[in-house]
Amino acid sequence: MMQPNLDFLLVPISQGLSWAFGGVVVCFGWFLWAMLRTVSRRIAFYFLGFSVAWLGVLWGLTQTPFFIQLDAKPPRFLVVLGPPMALIVFLFLTHQGRHFLDQLPLKALTWLHTVRVAVEVSLWYLFLEHQIPQMMTFEGYNWDILAGITAPLLAWYLQRATRPRWVVLGWNLLALGLLINIVGMAILSAPLPFQQLNFAQPNVGVFKSTFIWLPGFVVPVVLLAHLVALRRVYAVGN
C-alpha cells in the first residue's frame, strides 16, 4: 500500500492565510446569525453561542496533536463531522426541526452559497503552501467556485413573481453535486487509513488552524442550505 508524503503535516499554515480564512468564516457566521434573527431572535442567540463554542473547540484541538494522530481508530476527524451531521439529521427528522427549516428564507439561503468563492480562493492559496493537492483547487477537479459565482443569479431569479421550480431544483442539484465532488476528493486525499488519492501531496491543511472550520462548520451549513432548498421545492411541487 502506498504511503502518503507527510513532509508538510507538521508545517503550519501561514498566519496571514489562517487569519484571512478565519475572517471569511466569521463573516459567514454573521450572515447566518442575521438570517436567523429574521426567523427567531431566540434561535439566533442559541446559534451564536453554540457556534462560538464549537468553533473554539475545533480551533483549540488544532493547537494540540489531536488531529495529526493519523493512526487513531476510529479516525479522530469524525469529531469534526459528527456533531454537525447529527444536528442536520435531527432537524429533518423532528417536527420542530422541520418547522424551523421551513421558515428559513430561500433567497438568503441562496446568497449564503457565495461563500464558496472565498473558500475556493483560500484552497488555492492552501495548495500553494503545499497543504492540499492541486486536485482540490479550481486548477484541478474542484469546480465548486461555479456554485458561488452563480448563486447571485439564482437569488435574483427568486425575486420573480413566477419562477419554474425546475430552475431552483436544477441549480441546487448541480451545486450539491459540486459540493459532494470536493468533499469526496478531500476525504479520499486525507492521510487516513482509507486514503485513495494524492499520496504525493495529501490533504493535510484541513487539520490545521482555522481551516478546520471548513469541514466542521462551512460545509455542513452549505449542505443544509441545499437540503432545505430541495425540501422547499419538493413541498411546493406537491
Side-chain angles (χ1 to χ4, degrees), residues 66-119:
F66 184 82
F67 289 121
I68 62 175
Q69 295 183 15
L70 305 176
D71 56 349
K73 296 182 180 180
R76 293 185 172 178
F77 201 66
L78 292 177
V79 173
V80 181
L81 304 176
M85 293 300 105
L87 178 59
I88 291 176
V89 171
F90 170 81
L91 290 173
F92 276 91
L93 292 185
T94 64
H95 174 74
Q96 299 92 333
R98 292 191 297 271
H99 177 70
F100 163 71
L101 295 177
D102 289 340
Q103 297 181 73
L104 296 177
L106 187 57
K107 182 180 176 182
L109 287 174
T110 303
W111 274 108
L112 176 151
H113 292 286
T114 57
V115 73
R116 294 157 84 162
V117 175
V119 167

Side-chain angles (χ1 to χ4, degrees), residues 4 94 210 219:
T94 64
T210 55
V219 168

Side-chain angles (χ1 to χ4, degrees), residues 40-83:
S40 168
R41 289 179 177 268
R42 180 173 60 88
I43 291 177
F45 174 78
Y46 289 147
F47 164 79
L48 180 63
F50 171 80
S51 297
V52 170
W54 177 239
L55 295 178
V57 168
L58 291 179
W59 183 84
L61 289 175
T62 66
Q63 305 307 300
T64 73
F66 184 82
F67 289 121
I68 62 175
Q69 295 183 15
L70 305 176
D71 56 349
K73 296 182 180 180
R76 293 185 172 178
F77 201 66
L78 292 177
V79 173
V80 181
L81 304 176

Side-chain angles (χ1 to χ4, degrees), residues 27-39:
C27 292
F28 181 68
W30 176 85
F31 180 88
L32 284 171
W33 173 79
M35 180 185 70
L36 291 175
R37 274 174 57 90
T38 66
V39 176

Side-chain angles (χ1 to χ4, degrees), residues 28 31-32 35 104-117 146-159 163 167-169 171-172 175 221-222 224-226 228-230 232-233:
F28 181 68
F31 180 88
L32 284 171
M35 180 185 70
L104 296 177
L106 187 57
K107 182 180 176 182
L109 287 174
T110 303
W111 274 108
L112 176 151
H113 292 286
T114 57
V115 73
R116 294 157 84 162
V117 175
L146 296 176
I149 293 172
T150 56
L153 298 177
L154 182 64
W156 170 81
Y157 178 80
L158 290 172
Q159 299 180 57
R163 48 183 186 268
V167 175
V168 180
L169 176 64
W171 185 90
N172 275 280
V221 171
V222 169
L224 178 64
H226 280 310
V228 171
L230 293 173
R232 194 76 53 81
V233 172

